[in-house]
Structure formats: C-alpha cells, structure tokens
C-alpha cells in the first residue's frame, strides 16, 4: 500500500478522527467496571463483595463522566458511548420499583 501526496495538498493524518466514533480505553474501562459491579451486586454473593461491587459501579460512573467531558471537549463523537452508559445507570436507578426484589435491595445500597 502506498500513499500519494499531492504537492498542493496538506497531509493531515488525523483529520477524520475528530468526528470518528471509537471506544477509548477510558470508555472501555468504565463499561467493564460498571458491568462487573452490577453483576457482582445482582448475584448477591457475600456482604464483603457488595462493597467491591459498589466501588466498581461508582468508579465506572466516575470514569464515564470523565470520558464524557474529555470527549465533549475534544469534539470526538465517542461521547455518545459514555453518555449512554450514564443514561443507562440513571434508567436502572429510576426503574427500581418494577425490578425484582433482589435488584431493588441492591439499588438502595447504590443510591448515595
């Protein structure tokens, strides 16, 4: 594969990355932490793991918030991933009354 550069054009390798929607490591870590925390919390294994679960969910939400701000400031379209994670968490918290009792108990601990 070869690259042809015209003498009258300016080569900008990252010109298309401004609006490109891609998952950043920050977003992937936020998603992984949040999903692991919710999985541990719903399984209700032990009380000590509930603390780990809450820590994972809170740190995932914090990373998603940071990722949302970073992607918005950079003008990257990947802000939608972090925003959707935060909206999903908000929807989960507000839909608590229609969820099973085990999940409702976990959501009570999740509320600050």
């Amino acid at each position: 594969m070869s690259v042809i550069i015209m003498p009258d054009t300016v080569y900008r390798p990252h010109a298309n990355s401004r609006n490109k929607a891609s998952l950043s490591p920050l977003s992937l870590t936020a998603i992984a932490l949040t999903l692991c925390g919710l999985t541990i919390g719903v399984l209700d294994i032990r009380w000590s793991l509930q603390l780990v679960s809450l820590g994972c969910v809170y740190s995932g939400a914090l990373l998603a918030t940071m990722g949302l701000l970073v992607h918005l400031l950079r003008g990257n379209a990947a802000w939608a991933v972090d925003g959707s994670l935060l909206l999903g968490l908000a929807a989960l918290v507000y839909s608590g009354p229609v969820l099973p009792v085990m999940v409702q108990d976990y959501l009570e601990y999740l509320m600050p």
Side-chain angles (χ1 to χ4, degrees):
M1 185 165 81
S2 64
V3 177
I4 299 173
I5 299 176
M6 301 298 286
D8 294 337
T9 61
V10 177
Y11 177 65
R12 287 180 249 157
H14 300 291
N16 295 340
S17 67
R18 185 162 180 86
N19 294 327
K20 186 178 179 183
S22 62
L23 289 176
S24 68
L26 188 65
S27 300
L28 289 174
T29 307
I31 291 170
L33 279 172
T34 305
L35 289 179
C36 287
L38 290 175
T39 303
I40 292 171
V42 170
L43 291 178
D44 195 26
I45 299 170
R46 269 189 240 147
W47 183 81
S48 61
L49 287 180
Q50 289 289 336
L51 297 176
V52 172
S53 171
L54 291 174
C56 286
V57 172
Y58 282 135
S59 61
L62 180 65
L63 283 176
T65 304
M66 288 174 42
L68 179 68
L69 292 174
V70 166
H71 290 131
L72 282 175
L73 289 174
R74 286 187 176 178
N76 195 346
W79 62 268
V81 174
D82 296 317
S84 64
L85 177 64
L86 292 173
L87 284 176
L89 282 175
L92 180 69
V93 168
Y94 286 119
S95 67
V98 297
L99 296 173
V101 176
M102 184 173 53
V103 178
Q104 287 179 7
D105 291 339
Y106 178 71
L107 290 177
E108 285 183 22
Y109 289 115
L110 192 61
M111 294 295 289

